[in-house]
Amino acid sequence: MSKEPSKQPRVPVVGIDGKPLMPTTPKKARLFIRDGLAKGKRNKLGLFYIQMTRPVSEETQFMALAEDPGAKYDGIAAASHKQVEIKAMVFLPESVPEKMETRRNLRRARRYRNTPRRPARFDNRKRKKYWLAPTQKSKVETRLKVVRELCRIYPIKLIITEDVRFNHAKSRDGKYFSTVEIGKTLTYREYKNLAELQLVEVSGTDAWRIKFGLKKYTEKKWEQVPETHANDAVAMLMGVTGCENAETPFYVWRRLQYARRSLHRQNPQKGGIRPRFGGTANGSFFRKGDWVEAEKAGKTYRGWVCGLPTDKSKVLGIADADGKRIGHFSLKKAKLLSRSTGFSWKEVI
C-alpha cells in the first residue's frame, strides 16, 4: 500500500549555490534528475539529497531541528511546520580518557629513551584562549558536525535542545560536570550562529512525550530504535512547533574511531623492533573510513574500510555501520563509493 503524499519521506533540496531549500517528494526528485534539472548527492551523514542545476524559487517555509543530548547517545529530529521529516540516533565517541592516558604514558616513556619526541608542554592550557577537556571536545565536535550537516540540506530556522543541568545543592557527586557546562556553552554559541536557539527543560520534554503518546525505553539505551532517544527530540518538535509525527526514515549515525597514529607500538615485537602503529593511511589507494562496495562469493557488500592491505596481506578489511568486521575482500573486487566523512550510517526500518 502506498503512503499518503503528505506522509512520504521527502528528499532534501539545495539550490545551485548550495543554499538549502524545501524538501520535495521522491517522485519529483526522480523527475528532476531524469530531466537534467538536478543531480543526486550524499552529504557526510550519508543522506541523499538533490542539488538543482537551474535557478528556482528560494522561498522557504519554517523548519526546526531538535536535539536531545546525552552522555553516550544523542537523539535528533528535524521537522517542517507540518510534519517530522527525519529522526536519528547519534553514537558519540567513547574511550577517549583511556586513549589519552595511553598516549600520555607512551610520550613520557619516550623521554627516557633515545627516541624522537616533542618537547614537554606543561603549560599548554594556559596559552589557549578556550580550553575544553578532550572527552567533552570529542562529544561537542561530533554533535556540532551532525547539526551543521543537517543545516546544510534543510532550511533550519530554529534549533531546540534540552538544557541538561546538574543540581549541586541536591547531590555532591557532580565534580566533573563543570566540563559539561563548558561544552554546553561552546555548543550553544555555535548553534546561535546557525539558527535561533531555544532551550527546553527536561520536565517539559517528559510532559510533551506523555501528552503526544510517544514511547521511551529507559533500559537498553543502546537499542537502535526511535523509542530510545529520537522520540525525545520528536516530542520537543511537536511541543514547540505544533507539527505532527509521521512515518519518517530513522537513521543511526556513528562516529568512526580508529587507532590513533603512534610513533610505534607499545611493546617491542620480534627482534626488539617497535613498528609504527595506527593511522588511517599507509600509502595505498584506500584509507580507513572510506565507504566502499566489495564483492565476495557472488554477494555484494557495502561498508567502511577498517583494515588496509600490507606487504604480507593484500586484502581489504571492511566493517558494517556498527563497526563490526564483515570480512576481508580482494582489492580487485572493491570499489570506492566515497572518501571517509568521519561517520558511518544506516537506515533502520
Side-chain angles (χ1 to χ4, degrees):
M1 181 181 293
S2 61
K3 298 180 181 179
E4 300 177 10
S6 61
K7 300 300 182 181
Q8 290 182 354
R10 300 196 292 174
V11 180
V13 182
V14 299
I16 298 179
D17 56 353
K19 182 179 179 180
L21 306 176
M22 292 302 296
T24 186
T25 61
K27 181 179 179 180
K28 289 184 178 180
R30 288 193 297 268
L31 294 177
F32 286 152
I33 295 175
R34 186 197 66 181
D35 298 337
L37 302 176
K39 52 185 178 181
K41 291 187 173 182
R42 284 187 185 272
N43 70 349
K44 293 183 179 181
L45 299 177
L47 295 177
F48 179 81
Y49 69 98
I50 61 173
Q51 183 174 17
M52 305 302 297
T53 58
R54 297 183 184 180
V56 293
S57 176
E58 296 186 352
E59 294 184 4
T60 58
Q61 301 172 0
F62 177 82
M63 286 198 69
L65 183 146
E67 186 211 15
D68 174 38
K72 296 182 178 180
Y73 319 98
D74 278 9
I76 198 164
S80 61
H81 66 289
K82 289 185 178 180
Q83 67 177 32
V84 177
E85 299 290 343
I86 187 174
K87 308 172 188 176
M89 176 182 178
V90 184
F91 281 73
L92 301 176
E94 297 181 359
S95 305
V96 177
E98 292 80 1
K99 293 179 180 179
M100 295 296 294
E101 178 70 20
T102 301
R103 188 177 69 166
R104 179 166 56 249
N105 292 335
L106 291 174
R107 185 172 65 247
R108 288 174 176 175
R110 287 197 297 271
R111 295 196 182 108
Y112 294 96
R113 301 197 307 270
N114 187 17
T115 307
R117 61 173 178 82
R118 69 161 174 80
R121 297 196 294 262
F122 300 105
D123 60 342
N124 58 347
R125 297 185 184 183
K126 297 180 181 178
R127 294 198 299 265
K128 292 184 178 181
K129 184 178 179 181
Y130 198 99
W131 183 85
L132 186 61
T135 305
Q136 283 301 316
K137 185 178 180 181
S138 62
K139 298 180 187 298
V140 169
E141 290 179 345
T142 301
R143 196 169 286 137
L144 290 176
K145 185 173 182 178
V146 170
V147 173
R148 285 170 181 156
E149 286 300 316
L150 291 176
C151 289
R152 287 191 177 103
I153 60 175
Y154 289 108
I156 303 298
K157 300 295 190 301
L158 175 66
I159 297 178
I160 309 166
T161 183
E162 194 174 68
D163 189 23
V164 181
R165 291 176 290 181
F166 188 83
N167 190 346
H168 291 274
K170 183 178 180 181
S171 179
R172 298 293 181 179
D173 58 352
K175 59 181 179 179
Y176 298 115
F177 198 78
S178 59
T179 60
V180 179
E181 292 289 350
I182 298 174
K184 283 172 49 180
T185 302
L186 178 60
T187 303
Y188 294 166
R189 186 176 66 185
E190 295 299 320
Y191 282 172
K192 291 178 181 178
N193 295 332
L194 298 173
E196 180 184 351
L197 176 64
Q198 180 173 341
L199 303 180
V200 175
E201 297 291 338
V202 177
S203 58
T205 304
D206 295 338
W208 283 327
R209 191 179 61 250
I210 295 173
K211 176 182 177 181
F212 300 120
L214 299 174
K215 297 180 180 179
K216 181 177 181 180
Y217 296 158
T218 57
E219 298 181 358
K220 297 183 179 180
K221 293 188 176 183
W222 58 86
E223 291 288 343
Q224 299 177 12
V225 291
E227 290 79 7
T228 50
H229 303 279
N231 273 358
D232 279 348
V234 173
M236 286 187 280
L237 287 174
M238 297 177 66
V240 174
T241 66
C243 66
E244 295 182 0
N245 193 10
E247 296 181 8
T248 57
F250 173 69
Y251 290 90
V252 176
W253 297 317
R254 187 186 298 267
R255 179 74 175 267
L256 295 174
Q257 299 184 75
Y258 299 108
R260 188 183 181 92
R261 185 176 61 184
S262 303
L263 184 64
H264 50 65
R265 290 184 177 271
Q266 299 183 37
N267 301 316
Q269 306 299 300
K270 186 176 181 180
I273 301 175
R274 294 173 181 257
R276 294 180 180 272
F277 175 73
T280 57
N282 64 352
S284 61
F285 173 74
F286 292 102
R287 297 193 289 264
K288 287 184 180 180
D290 289 346
W291 189 38
V292 297
E293 181 179 270
E295 182 183 349
K296 188 175 185 179
K299 190 174 181 180
T300 303
Y301 300 86
R302 283 190 175 185
W304 287 262
V305 176
C306 62
L308 298 174
T310 62
D311 295 335
K312 297 181 179 179
S313 178
K314 299 293 184 180
V315 293
L316 198 66
I318 299 178
D320 60 12
D322 295 324
K324 297 181 180 179
R325 188 186 295 271
I326 300 175
H328 293 92
F329 298 83
S330 171
L331 292 175
K332 297 180 180 180
K333 296 186 177 181
K335 180 177 66 173
L336 178 68
L337 299 178
S338 173
R339 285 297 183 186
S340 176
T341 62
F343 277 89
S344 65
W345 58 81
K346 69 176 179 179
E347 182 179 354
V348 181
I349 300 177

